[in-house]
mmCIF file of all heavy atoms in Angstrom:
data_model
loop_
_atom_site.group_PDB
_atom_site.id
_atom_site.type_symbol
_atom_site.label_atom_id
_atom_site.label_comp_id
_atom_site.label_asym_id
_atom_site.label_seq_id
_atom_site.Cartn_x
_atom_site.Cartn_y
_atom_site.Cartn_z
ATOM 1 N N ILE A 1 0.863 -1.175 0.000
ATOM 2 C CA ILE A 1 0.000 0.000 0.000
ATOM 3 C C ILE A 1 0.901 1.226 0.000
ATOM 4 O O ILE A 1 1.795 1.334 0.840
ATOM 5 C CB ILE A 1 -0.919 0.020 1.233
ATOM 6 C CG1 ILE A 1 -1.821 -1.214 1.260
ATOM 7 C CG2 ILE A 1 -1.778 1.272 1.262
ATOM 8 C CD1 ILE A 1 -1.387 -2.237 2.225
ATOM 9 N N THR A 2 0.674 2.130 -0.935
ATOM 10 C CA THR A 2 1.474 3.337 -1.052
ATOM 11 C C THR A 2 0.542 4.541 -1.087
ATOM 12 O O THR A 2 -0.537 4.476 -1.666
ATOM 13 C CB THR A 2 2.318 3.317 -2.351
ATOM 14 O OG1 THR A 2 3.046 2.097 -2.406
ATOM 15 C CG2 THR A 2 3.283 4.479 -2.410
ATOM 16 N N ILE A 3 0.987 5.629 -0.483
ATOM 17 C CA ILE A 3 0.220 6.870 -0.487
ATOM 18 C C ILE A 3 0.666 7.734 -1.660
ATOM 19 O O ILE A 3 1.866 7.871 -1.922
ATOM 20 C CB ILE A 3 0.426 7.641 0.839
ATOM 21 C CG1 ILE A 3 -0.033 6.784 2.025
ATOM 22 C CG2 ILE A 3 -0.277 8.978 0.821
ATOM 23 C CD1 ILE A 3 -1.490 6.381 1.987
ATOM 24 N N ASN A 4 -0.286 8.313 -2.365
ATOM 25 C CA ASN A 4 -0.005 9.248 -3.449
ATOM 26 C C ASN A 4 0.916 10.348 -2.917
ATOM 27 O O ASN A 4 0.689 10.890 -1.841
ATOM 28 C CB ASN A 4 -1.335 9.829 -3.943
ATOM 29 C CG ASN A 4 -1.165 10.814 -5.069
ATOM 30 O OD1 ASN A 4 -0.119 11.414 -5.263
ATOM 31 N ND2 ASN A 4 -2.225 10.979 -5.822
ATOM 32 N N PHE A 5 1.931 10.688 -3.680
ATOM 33 C CA PHE A 5 2.912 11.688 -3.249
ATOM 34 C C PHE A 5 2.254 13.010 -2.843
ATOM 35 O O PHE A 5 2.651 13.654 -1.886
ATOM 36 C CB PHE A 5 3.945 11.931 -4.356
ATOM 37 C CG PHE A 5 4.963 12.963 -3.992
ATOM 38 C CD1 PHE A 5 5.998 12.664 -3.115
ATOM 39 C CD2 PHE A 5 4.884 14.248 -4.505
ATOM 40 C CE1 PHE A 5 6.933 13.620 -2.770
ATOM 41 C CE2 PHE A 5 5.809 15.216 -4.165
ATOM 42 C CZ PHE A 5 6.844 14.892 -3.293
ATOM 43 N N ASN A 6 1.220 13.427 -3.554
ATOM 44 C CA ASN A 6 0.543 14.692 -3.251
ATOM 45 C C ASN A 6 -0.141 14.699 -1.895
ATOM 46 O O ASN A 6 -0.439 15.761 -1.357
ATOM 47 C CB ASN A 6 -0.485 15.013 -4.343
ATOM 48 C CG ASN A 6 0.174 15.234 -5.690
ATOM 49 O OD1 ASN A 6 1.304 15.673 -5.772
ATOM 50 N ND2 ASN A 6 -0.538 14.894 -6.749
ATOM 51 N N SER A 7 -0.419 13.538 -1.349
ATOM 52 C CA SER A 7 -1.095 13.436 -0.053
ATOM 53 C C SER A 7 -0.138 13.142 1.091
ATOM 54 O O SER A 7 -0.565 13.014 2.232
ATOM 55 C CB SER A 7 -2.145 12.327 -0.105
ATOM 56 O OG SER A 7 -3.040 12.568 -1.135
ATOM 57 N N SER A 8 1.132 13.036 0.816
ATOM 58 C CA SER A 8 2.084 12.609 1.846
ATOM 59 C C SER A 8 2.180 13.595 3.014
ATOM 60 O O SER A 8 2.350 13.181 4.160
ATOM 61 C CB SER A 8 3.467 12.355 1.246
ATOM 62 O OG SER A 8 3.978 13.519 0.648
ATOM 63 N N ARG A 9 2.021 14.885 2.763
ATOM 64 C CA ARG A 9 2.061 15.848 3.874
ATOM 65 C C ARG A 9 0.891 15.659 4.817
ATOM 66 O O ARG A 9 1.036 15.734 6.029
ATOM 67 C CB ARG A 9 2.093 17.292 3.358
ATOM 68 C CG ARG A 9 3.460 17.692 2.894
ATOM 69 C CD ARG A 9 3.694 19.161 2.790
ATOM 70 N NE ARG A 9 2.528 19.982 2.499
ATOM 71 C CZ ARG A 9 2.585 21.221 2.072
ATOM 72 N NH1 ARG A 9 3.749 21.769 1.877
ATOM 73 N NH2 ARG A 9 1.499 21.907 1.850
ATOM 74 N N LEU A 10 -0.281 15.407 4.261
ATOM 75 C CA LEU A 10 -1.461 15.149 5.078
ATOM 76 C C LEU A 10 -1.256 13.898 5.936
ATOM 77 O O LEU A 10 -1.561 13.897 7.131
ATOM 78 C CB LEU A 10 -2.692 14.976 4.192
ATOM 79 C CG LEU A 10 -3.974 14.519 4.884
ATOM 80 C CD1 LEU A 10 -4.468 15.595 5.853
ATOM 81 C CD2 LEU A 10 -5.026 14.188 3.861
ATOM 82 N N ILE A 11 -0.722 12.862 5.351
ATOM 83 C CA ILE A 11 -0.491 11.609 6.079
ATOM 84 C C ILE A 11 0.546 11.823 7.177
ATOM 85 O O ILE A 11 0.401 11.324 8.291
ATOM 86 C CB ILE A 11 -0.058 10.484 5.123
ATOM 87 C CG1 ILE A 11 -1.108 10.265 4.053
ATOM 88 C CG2 ILE A 11 0.244 9.209 5.884
ATOM 89 C CD1 ILE A 11 -2.480 9.912 4.563
ATOM 90 N N LYS A 12 1.589 12.592 6.879
ATOM 91 C CA LYS A 12 2.610 12.877 7.908
ATOM 92 C C LYS A 12 1.988 13.611 9.090
ATOM 93 O O LYS A 12 2.315 13.332 10.247
ATOM 94 C CB LYS A 12 3.757 13.687 7.313
ATOM 95 C CG LYS A 12 4.667 12.862 6.435
ATOM 96 C CD LYS A 12 5.784 13.686 5.844
ATOM 97 C CE LYS A 12 6.604 12.825 4.907
ATOM 98 N NZ LYS A 12 7.694 13.544 4.260
ATOM 99 N N LYS A 13 1.070 14.526 8.823
ATOM 100 C CA LYS A 13 0.383 15.222 9.916
ATOM 101 C C LYS A 13 -0.478 14.253 10.717
ATOM 102 O O LYS A 13 -0.532 14.320 11.947
ATOM 103 C CB LYS A 13 -0.483 16.367 9.373
ATOM 104 C CG LYS A 13 0.314 17.560 8.931
ATOM 105 C CD LYS A 13 -0.597 18.665 8.434
ATOM 106 C CE LYS A 13 0.223 19.828 7.925
ATOM 107 N NZ LYS A 13 -0.615 20.922 7.442
ATOM 108 N N ASN A 14 -1.154 13.342 10.038
ATOM 109 C CA ASN A 14 -1.957 12.332 10.729
ATOM 110 C C ASN A 14 -1.089 11.482 11.647
ATOM 111 O O ASN A 14 -1.465 11.186 12.779
ATOM 112 C CB ASN A 14 -2.677 11.419 9.722
ATOM 113 C CG ASN A 14 -3.803 12.114 9.002
ATOM 114 O OD1 ASN A 14 -4.294 13.158 9.430
ATOM 115 N ND2 ASN A 14 -4.218 11.547 7.887
ATOM 116 N N ILE A 15 0.077 11.109 11.168
ATOM 117 C CA ILE A 15 0.986 10.278 11.960
ATOM 118 C C ILE A 15 1.500 11.054 13.166
ATOM 119 O O ILE A 15 1.568 10.520 14.279
ATOM 120 C CB ILE A 15 2.158 9.771 11.088
ATOM 121 C CG1 ILE A 15 1.620 8.801 10.026
ATOM 122 C CG2 ILE A 15 3.226 9.098 11.937
ATOM 123 C CD1 ILE A 15 2.599 8.479 8.928
ATOM 124 N N GLU A 16 1.846 12.321 12.962
ATOM 125 C CA GLU A 16 2.339 13.143 14.077
ATOM 126 C C GLU A 16 1.279 13.333 15.158
ATOM 127 O O GLU A 16 1.593 13.366 16.339
ATOM 128 C CB GLU A 16 2.792 14.511 13.556
ATOM 129 C CG GLU A 16 4.070 14.459 12.750
ATOM 130 C CD GLU A 16 4.377 15.779 12.055
ATOM 131 O OE1 GLU A 16 3.635 16.770 12.252
ATOM 132 O OE2 GLU A 16 5.368 15.817 11.303
ATOM 133 N N ARG A 17 0.022 13.449 14.758
ATOM 134 C CA ARG A 17 -1.074 13.645 15.719
ATOM 135 C C ARG A 17 -1.522 12.349 16.387
ATOM 136 O O ARG A 17 -2.230 12.391 17.381
ATOM 137 C CB ARG A 17 -2.286 14.250 15.023
ATOM 138 C CG ARG A 17 -2.092 15.667 14.612
ATOM 139 C CD ARG A 17 -3.398 16.207 14.031
ATOM 140 N NE ARG A 17 -3.094 17.247 13.078
ATOM 141 C CZ ARG A 17 -3.693 17.437 11.928
ATOM 142 N NH1 ARG A 17 -4.672 16.643 11.548
ATOM 143 N NH2 ARG A 17 -3.347 18.409 11.136
ATOM 144 N N ALA A 18 -1.151 11.232 15.812
ATOM 145 C CA ALA A 18 -1.638 9.938 16.301
ATOM 146 C C ALA A 18 -1.117 9.658 17.704
ATOM 147 O O ALA A 18 -0.006 10.033 18.075
ATOM 148 C CB ALA A 18 -1.195 8.823 15.357
ATOM 149 N N LYS A 19 -1.945 8.996 18.451
ATOM 150 C CA LYS A 19 -1.538 8.556 19.779
ATOM 151 C C LYS A 19 -0.598 7.371 19.629
ATOM 152 O O LYS A 19 -0.725 6.576 18.702
ATOM 153 C CB LYS A 19 -2.759 8.150 20.592
ATOM 154 C CG LYS A 19 -3.704 9.306 20.837
ATOM 155 C CD LYS A 19 -4.932 8.844 21.567
ATOM 156 C CE LYS A 19 -5.886 10.020 21.731
ATOM 157 N NZ LYS A 19 -7.175 9.613 22.267
ATOM 158 N N ILE A 20 0.333 7.268 20.545
ATOM 159 C CA ILE A 20 1.300 6.175 20.484
ATOM 160 C C ILE A 20 0.607 4.827 20.711
ATOM 161 O O ILE A 20 0.945 3.840 20.089
ATOM 162 C CB ILE A 20 2.424 6.394 21.519
ATOM 163 C CG1 ILE A 20 3.221 7.631 21.127
ATOM 164 C CG2 ILE A 20 3.319 5.183 21.619
ATOM 165 C CD1 ILE A 20 4.229 8.062 22.158
ATOM 166 N N TRP A 21 -0.359 4.824 21.597
ATOM 167 C CA TRP A 21 -1.059 3.585 21.896
ATOM 168 C C TRP A 21 -2.404 3.577 21.217
ATOM 169 O O TRP A 21 -3.054 4.606 21.207
ATOM 170 C CB TRP A 21 -1.239 3.443 23.412
ATOM 171 C CG TRP A 21 -1.699 2.082 23.796
ATOM 172 C CD1 TRP A 21 -2.973 1.731 24.102
ATOM 173 C CD2 TRP A 21 -0.922 0.916 23.891
ATOM 174 N NE1 TRP A 21 -3.025 0.400 24.384
ATOM 175 C CE2 TRP A 21 -1.771 -0.127 24.267
ATOM 176 C CE3 TRP A 21 0.430 0.635 23.681
ATOM 177 C CZ2 TRP A 21 -1.324 -1.420 24.453
ATOM 178 C CZ3 TRP A 21 0.870 -0.654 23.866
ATOM 179 C CH2 TRP A 21 -0.010 -1.655 24.249
ATOM 180 N N PRO A 22 -2.876 2.558 20.639
ATOM 181 C CA PRO A 22 -2.254 1.246 20.508
ATOM 182 C C PRO A 22 -1.199 1.236 19.403
ATOM 183 O O PRO A 22 -1.319 1.945 18.416
ATOM 184 C CB PRO A 22 -3.405 0.319 20.163
ATOM 185 C CG PRO A 22 -4.398 1.191 19.479
ATOM 186 C CD PRO A 22 -4.240 2.568 20.091
ATOM 187 N N ILE A 23 -0.210 0.429 19.613
ATOM 188 C CA ILE A 23 0.865 0.254 18.637
ATOM 189 C C ILE A 23 0.291 -0.483 17.425
ATOM 190 O O ILE A 23 -0.528 -1.377 17.580
ATOM 191 C CB ILE A 23 2.022 -0.546 19.272
ATOM 192 C CG1 ILE A 23 2.603 0.249 20.444
ATOM 193 C CG2 ILE A 23 3.094 -0.887 18.250
ATOM 194 C CD1 ILE A 23 3.581 -0.526 21.286
ATOM 195 N N PRO A 24 0.708 -0.107 16.217
ATOM 196 C CA PRO A 24 0.203 -0.824 15.034
ATOM 197 C C PRO A 24 0.486 -2.326 15.146
ATOM 198 O O PRO A 24 1.499 -2.742 15.702
ATOM 199 C CB PRO A 24 0.992 -0.210 13.877
ATOM 200 C CG PRO A 24 1.342 1.155 14.354
ATOM 201 C CD PRO A 24 1.580 0.998 15.834
ATOM 202 N N PRO A 25 -0.410 -3.154 14.625
ATOM 203 C CA PRO A 25 -0.252 -4.607 14.721
ATOM 204 C C PRO A 25 0.998 -5.113 14.013
ATOM 205 O O PRO A 25 1.473 -4.508 13.047
ATOM 206 C CB PRO A 25 -1.506 -5.156 14.058
ATOM 207 C CG PRO A 25 -2.320 -4.007 13.625
ATOM 208 C CD PRO A 25 -1.626 -2.754 13.941
ATOM 209 N N LYS A 26 1.494 -6.241 14.482
ATOM 210 C CA LYS A 26 2.738 -6.812 13.946
ATOM 211 C C LYS A 26 2.600 -7.334 12.521
ATOM 212 O O LYS A 26 3.604 -7.502 11.839
ATOM 213 C CB LYS A 26 3.223 -7.938 14.853
ATOM 214 C CG LYS A 26 3.687 -7.446 16.194
ATOM 215 C CD LYS A 26 4.185 -8.577 17.051
ATOM 216 C CE LYS A 26 4.641 -8.029 18.399
ATOM 217 N NZ LYS A 26 5.156 -9.091 19.263
ATOM 218 N N TYR A 27 1.385 -7.606 12.066
ATOM 219 C CA TYR A 27 1.229 -8.119 10.706
ATOM 220 C C TYR A 27 1.331 -7.007 9.657
ATOM 221 O O TYR A 27 1.298 -7.278 8.467
ATOM 222 C CB TYR A 27 -0.087 -8.892 10.542
ATOM 223 C CG TYR A 27 -1.319 -8.099 10.867
ATOM 224 C CD1 TYR A 27 -1.908 -7.279 9.926
ATOM 225 C CD2 TYR A 27 -1.886 -8.165 12.130
ATOM 226 C CE1 TYR A 27 -3.035 -6.539 10.218
ATOM 227 C CE2 TYR A 27 -3.019 -7.430 12.437
ATOM 228 C CZ TYR A 27 -3.588 -6.629 11.480
ATOM 229 O OH TYR A 27 -4.699 -5.897 11.782
ATOM 230 N N LEU A 28 1.477 -5.749 10.096
ATOM 231 C CA LEU A 28 1.688 -4.634 9.171
ATOM 232 C C LEU A 28 3.151 -4.226 9.207
ATOM 233 O O LEU A 28 3.689 -3.907 10.260
ATOM 234 C CB LEU A 28 0.817 -3.438 9.559
ATOM 235 C CG LEU A 28 -0.684 -3.627 9.490
ATOM 236 C CD1 LEU A 28 -1.384 -2.354 9.942
ATOM 237 C CD2 LEU A 28 -1.123 -4.023 8.102
ATOM 238 N N ILE A 29 3.778 -4.224 8.056
ATOM 239 C CA ILE A 29 5.162 -3.777 7.936
ATOM 240 C C ILE A 29 5.074 -2.358 7.376
ATOM 241 O O ILE A 29 4.703 -2.159 6.218
ATOM 242 C CB ILE A 29 5.964 -4.703 7.012
ATOM 243 C CG1 ILE A 29 5.887 -6.144 7.545
ATOM 244 C CG2 ILE A 29 7.398 -4.232 6.878
ATOM 245 C CD1 ILE A 29 6.168 -7.194 6.516
ATOM 246 N N ILE A 30 5.392 -1.379 8.233
ATOM 247 C CA ILE A 30 5.153 0.022 7.900
ATOM 248 C C ILE A 30 6.472 0.763 7.752
ATOM 249 O O ILE A 30 7.333 0.685 8.620
ATOM 250 C CB ILE A 30 4.303 0.695 8.998
ATOM 251 C CG1 ILE A 30 3.022 -0.102 9.237
ATOM 252 C CG2 ILE A 30 4.000 2.139 8.622
ATOM 253 C CD1 ILE A 30 2.292 0.286 10.505
ATOM 254 N N ASN A 31 6.609 1.496 6.651
ATOM 255 C CA ASN A 31 7.744 2.379 6.458
ATOM 256 C C ASN A 31 7.183 3.800 6.426
ATOM 257 O O ASN A 31 6.616 4.219 5.415
ATOM 258 C CB ASN A 31 8.484 2.043 5.163
ATOM 259 C CG ASN A 31 9.753 2.851 5.020
ATOM 260 O OD1 ASN A 31 9.865 3.968 5.517
ATOM 261 N ND2 ASN A 31 10.729 2.275 4.329
ATOM 262 N N TYR A 32 7.321 4.501 7.538
ATOM 263 C CA TYR A 32 6.761 5.847 7.627
ATOM 264 C C TYR A 32 7.533 6.851 6.771
ATOM 265 O O TYR A 32 6.999 7.882 6.406
ATOM 266 C CB TYR A 32 6.731 6.303 9.088
ATOM 267 C CG TYR A 32 5.715 5.544 9.912
ATOM 268 C CD1 TYR A 32 6.108 4.577 10.821
ATOM 269 C CD2 TYR A 32 4.355 5.796 9.766
ATOM 270 C CE1 TYR A 32 5.173 3.879 11.573
ATOM 271 C CE2 TYR A 32 3.414 5.110 10.501
ATOM 272 C CZ TYR A 32 3.830 4.151 11.403
ATOM 273 O OH TYR A 32 2.900 3.459 12.133
ATOM 274 N N ARG A 33 8.752 6.562 6.436
ATOM 275 C CA ARG A 33 9.543 7.468 5.606
ATOM 276 C C ARG A 33 9.056 7.453 4.156
ATOM 277 O O ARG A 33 8.929 8.492 3.530
ATOM 278 C CB ARG A 33 11.024 7.092 5.671
ATOM 279 C CG ARG A 33 11.915 8.104 4.951
ATOM 280 C CD ARG A 33 13.386 7.800 5.084
ATOM 281 N NE ARG A 33 13.753 7.667 6.490
ATOM 282 C CZ ARG A 33 14.702 6.852 6.954
ATOM 283 N NH1 ARG A 33 15.376 6.109 6.123
ATOM 284 N NH2 ARG A 33 14.980 6.797 8.219
ATOM 285 N N THR A 34 8.786 6.257 3.622
ATOM 286 C CA THR A 34 8.351 6.143 2.231
ATOM 287 C C THR A 34 6.827 6.089 2.094
ATOM 288 O O THR A 34 6.318 5.990 0.983
ATOM 289 C CB THR A 34 8.945 4.880 1.574
ATOM 290 O OG1 THR A 34 8.458 3.732 2.284
ATOM 291 C CG2 THR A 34 10.455 4.925 1.568
#
């Protein structure tokens, strides 16, 4: 799953606002940089 480049700033803001808990599940391999 990849986010459209034009929406990456919005997604970065969502990630910054997200609560630390609950931690994302282990079955998801997430690269927040890409």
